[in-house]
DNA sequence: GCCGTTTTCGGCCCGACTGTTTTCAGTCG
């Protein structure tokens, strides 16, 4: 069974080609060309039908255009087939180990013949990896110390991966005539950022006829299918969705009654307000539900815009106009273009001159967008000493300034806290983006006293971002709740680098719901005038 | 491999850090 559509397949092949060429020491610009094309294609909002759909895109020329055509026709590319004959697919996974890059990954394969993380792990636990003379010293240690985490990452599912697996399994299950319905339950339905399995409830009238389906597998992920009948369907949905601490108290009260017509009815017969899945964690929601005082949780349709968007001007894959059209299509009223600033060379950061040039383009574009507003913004880099890399006379001209850290992650807590404090004390900074810097399953948050940051942010009206990228989800639900107690307001942003990334706002909203946020806590639910007032207050 | 309104060839992507590397290659962000 395969996940995804043709765009993903093409992007995956191009990305693999880039990895293999890099391992072989090919010209790095050729490698980057494949990588960039892969990123562009994976971010396209429209299904690719022919070569013509890609050939005009930035960074895609004749060679990659022809390759796309080849993949559309045959499902694969000859260059890719050639490369995997030389280097097995699984060797790419070695790079998941911290400190192992393409060159070392390739040399591990050449030395040991291991062609997957599992095979490499086998050599590690039997301590045979040391027998290969080519691998010595710190490199060897890195493999020993990092491989378990890499394997764990391979099995764990982020929210987006979990949903994708669920949808794929659902499609398969539904082809069976005895399957009446398939629904998601468990931690994934509650919107947990990382899950070790996908819990699925399968409704059938004849349990014996669907036994074989319980073994459904997809790409090595753990899938846990539970059977239910029409009689107990909603009871089981409730039972398998909530955390233990949420369900156990309510189960006592239900006294074995199992027949309900909806999940809402379960709460209602007990005199409780309905509790949305995202907050069924046993963190005080039961008491509030009893008093009918649950928060009015934010929902995806409350969002009126996105305040963190990149374009081709820095490291985005689409131009400003295409990003604007995609926002308009989603029903948004505004967006902020916030490309990277000067010091972040690797992402094509903008100099003050380029920022002003961009504003010329924005002026021309805005005339073409009736009733839709583009805010002039920047994602300004916070330097190690907490100063910003863009002069204040440039920041002054902007509608919105979001500040973030992309370098020097490994500082001591005191230093890092002071660094961020100084940055958010700058009167031009409106939003602190991805405040803890974590990448799920890849990079820990930096050492920082978030309580202090949140308290000051609450006092001074600095907005905290909930970065919706499923790889970040930063802030997380715990820090969101803490921030809310300090009076912090939030922005649910996608940090989109392509039109498709705008869809990630769903993950941000889910995380905000898990943090008990209401629309009024989130500034991009406000209409433009109110938003501008908040953004203007600090400048 | 892609790109171009000075170019169809020669740039593009950069700085910090680390390791077994004593003058540089690999990794990371």
């Amino acid at each position: 069974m395969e996940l995804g559509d043709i765009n993903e397949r093409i992007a995956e092949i191009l990305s693999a080609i880039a990895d293999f060429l890099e391992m072989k020491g090919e010209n790095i610009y050729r490698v980057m060309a494949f990588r960039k094309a892969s990123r562009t294609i994976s971010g396209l909002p429209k299904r690719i039908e022919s070569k013509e759909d890609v050939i005009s895109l930035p960074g895609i020329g004749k060679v990659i255009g022809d390759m796309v055509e080849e993949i559309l026709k045959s499902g694969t590319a000859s260059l890719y087939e050639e490369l995997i004959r030389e280097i097995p697919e699984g060797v790419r996974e070695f790079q998941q180990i911290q400190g192992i890059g393409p060159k070392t990954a390739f040399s591990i394969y050449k030395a040991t013949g291991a062609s997957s993380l599992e095979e490499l792990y086998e050599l590690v636990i039997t301590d045979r990896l040391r027998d290969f003379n080519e691998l010595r010293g710190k490199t060897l240690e890195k493999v020993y110390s990092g491989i378990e985490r890499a394997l764990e990452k391979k099995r764990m599912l982020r929210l987006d991966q979990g949903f994708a697996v669920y949808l794929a399994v659902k499609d398969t299950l539904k082809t069976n005539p005895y399957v009446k319905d398939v629904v998601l339950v468990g931690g994934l339905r509650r919107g947990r950022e990382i899950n070790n399995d996908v819990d699925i409830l399968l409704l059938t009238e004849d349990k014996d006829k669907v036994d074989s389906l319980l073994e459904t597998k997809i790409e090595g992920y753990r899938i846990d299918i539970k059977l239910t009948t029409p009689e107990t369907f909603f009871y089981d949905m409730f039972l398998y969705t909530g955390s233990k601490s949420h369900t156990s108290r309510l189960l006592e009260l239900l006294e074995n009654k199992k027949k309900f017509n909806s999940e809402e009815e379960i709460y209602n017969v007990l005199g409780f307000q309905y509790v949305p899945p995202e907050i069924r964690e046993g963190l005080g929601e039961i008491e509030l539900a009893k008093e009918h005082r649950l928060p009015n949780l934010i929902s995806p349709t409350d969002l009126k815009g996105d305040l963190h968007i990149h374009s081709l001007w820095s490291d985005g894959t689409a131009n400003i106009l295409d990003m604007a059209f995609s926002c308009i299509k989603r029903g948004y009223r505004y967006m902020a273009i916030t490309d990277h600033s000067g010091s972040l060379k690797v992402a094509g950061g903008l100099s003050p001159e380029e920022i002003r040039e961009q504003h010329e383009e924005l002026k021309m574009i805005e005339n073409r967008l009736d009733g839709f507003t583009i805010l002039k913004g920047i994602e300004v880099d916070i330097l190690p000493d907490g100063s910003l890399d863009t002069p204040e006379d440039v920041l002054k001209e902007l509608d919105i300034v979001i500040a973030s850290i992309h370098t020097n992650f490994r500082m001591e807590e005191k230093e890092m806290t002071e660094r961020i404090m100084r940055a958010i004390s700058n009167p031009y900074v409106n939003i602190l983006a991805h405040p803890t810097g974590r990448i799920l399953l890849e990079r820990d948050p930096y050492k920082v006293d978030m309580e202090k940051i949140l308290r000051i942010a609450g006092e001074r009206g600095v907005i905290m971002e909930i970065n919706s990228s499923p790889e970040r989800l930063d802030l997380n639900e715990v820090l969101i709740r803490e921030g809310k107690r300090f009076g912090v307001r939030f922005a649910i942003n996608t940090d989109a680098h392509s039109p498709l990334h705008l869809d990630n706002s769903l993950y941000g909203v889910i995380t905000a719901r898990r943090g008990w946020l209401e629309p009024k806590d989130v500034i991009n639910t406000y209409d433009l005038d109110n938003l501008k007032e908040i953004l203007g207050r600090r400048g």
Side-chain angles (χ1 to χ4, degrees), chain A residues 166 169 173 182-183 185 198-202 223-226:
Chain A
Y166 161 65
V169 174
L173 294 178
V182 177
V183 293
V185 290
V198 180
D199 295 309
I200 286 173
L201 192 61
L202 191 160
I223 295 160
D224 193 356
I225 299 173
K226 294 151 176 103

Side-chain angles (χ1 to χ4, degrees), chain A residues 454 458 478-490:
Chain A
L454 291 169
V478 176
L479 291 171
I480 292 170
R481 287 189 76 178
E482 189 172 345
K484 186 173 173 173
R485 280 196 293 275
F486 288 127
V488 171
R489 277 190 291 199
F490 304 85

Side-chain angles (χ1 to χ4, degrees), chain A residues 304-311 320 323-324 327 332-339 358 362 366 372-379 398-402 430-431 465 491-497 502 523-524 528 531 535:
Chain A
K304 292 195 172 70
D306 198 318
L307 301 176
H308 187 168
I309 289 179
H310 295 272
S311 76
I320 296 175
M323 295 308 284
C327 280
Y332 286 168
R333 307 308 306 273
Y334 51 80
M335 72 173 189
I337 284 292
T338 55
D339 276 306
Q358 187 183 53
L362 286 175
E366 194 143 52
F372 182 82
T373 303
I374 304 179
L375 298 170
K376 300 197 293 272
I378 191 86
E379 179 178 12
L398 300 167
D399 301 315
I400 180 169
V401 174
I402 63 185
N430 300 111
I431 299 179
E465 180 174 83
I492 298 177
N493 293 333
T494 60
D495 199 353
H497 286 70
L502 293 167
I523 65 165
N524 50 321
L528 186 65
L531 176 71
L535 296 176

Side-chain angles (χ1 to χ4, degrees), chain A residues 79-92:
Chain A
L79 175 59
Y80 170 73
E81 294 297 321
E82 207 174 287
L83 286 165
I84 57 170
R85 272 196 293 276
E86 196 175 344
I87 314 171
E89 262 288 344
V91 176
R92 294 168 71 204

Side-chain angles (χ1 to χ4, degrees), chain A residues 29-168:
Chain A
Y29 298 105
R30 187 175 174 221
V31 171
M32 282 167 53
F34 279 104
R35 205 157 275 156
K36 185 180 174 201
S38 168
R39 245 162 48 90
T40 301
I41 285 172
S42 79
L44 280 183
K46 170 178 172 302
R47 189 188 162 87
I48 297 169
E49 309 276 354
S50 74
K51 179 174 158 181
E52 281 65 40
D53 292 336
V54 299
I55 202 89
S56 57
L57 295 170
I60 298 179
K62 184 169 185 323
V63 173
I64 294 181
D66 285 345
M67 205 172 279
V68 167
E69 188 171 46
E70 188 189 358
I71 299 169
L72 284 169
K73 279 198 183 118
S74 71
T76 187
S78 44
L79 175 59
Y80 170 73
E81 294 297 321
E82 207 174 287
L83 286 165
I84 57 170
R85 272 196 293 276
E86 196 175 344
I87 314 171
E89 262 288 344
V91 176
R92 294 168 71 204
E93 298 171 351
F94 296 173
Q95 296 179 78
Q96 300 289 344
I97 301 168
Q98 194 65 239
I100 305 297
K103 298 292 173 353
T104 315
F106 192 29
S107 63
I108 290 174
Y109 166 64
K110 280 191 289 190
T112 67
S115 60
S116 69
L117 271 181
E118 286 80 2
E119 285 179 32
L120 188 60
Y121 185 61
E122 190 60 32
L123 294 176
V124 168
I125 52 170
T126 55
D127 210 23
R128 277 180 292 155
L129 198 62
R130 296 186 195 282
D131 301 344
F132 300 98
N133 294 329
E134 297 88 338
L135 301 170
R136 275 169 285 121
K138 297 267 174 162
T139 307
L140 192 62
E141 275 173 43
K142 276 178 185 163
V143 175
Y144 272 78
S145 64
I147 191 163
E148 292 205 6
R149 189 169 179 179
L151 271 171
E152 181 199 35
K153 185 190 163 182
K154 199 175 158 183
R155 282 191 295 260
M156 299 294 252
L157 291 132
R158 292 187 319 240
L159 207 44
D160 56 326
Q161 298 167 324
F163 286 159
V165 169
Y166 161 65
L167 290 174

Side-chain angles (χ1 to χ4, degrees), chain A residues 156-167 184-198 278 438 440-441 467-473 477 504-512 514:
Chain A
M156 299 294 252
L157 291 132
R158 292 187 319 240
L159 207 44
D160 56 326
Q161 298 167 324
F163 286 159
V165 169
Y166 161 65
L167 290 174
L184 185 63
V185 290
L188 200 53
R189 181 169 177 229
R190 300 202 303 278
R192 278 172 44 143
E193 59 197 29
I194 297 291
N195 294 275
N196 54 26
D197 62 3
V198 180
E278 292 93 335
R438 72 166 179 178
L440 285 167
L441 299 173
N467 191 293
S468 306
S469 163
E471 289 152 29
R472 290 189 182 268
L473 295 178
E477 69 226 34
N504 288 343
S505 61
L506 174 67
Y507 306 118
V509 170
I510 289 172
T511 304
R514 288 177 62 77

Side-chain angles (χ1 to χ4, degrees), chain A residues 386-398:
Chain A
S387 63
L388 305 178
D389 78 343
T390 302
E392 294 201 344
D393 63 313
V394 179
L395 300 182
K396 201 188 303 182
E397 295 169 19
L398 300 167

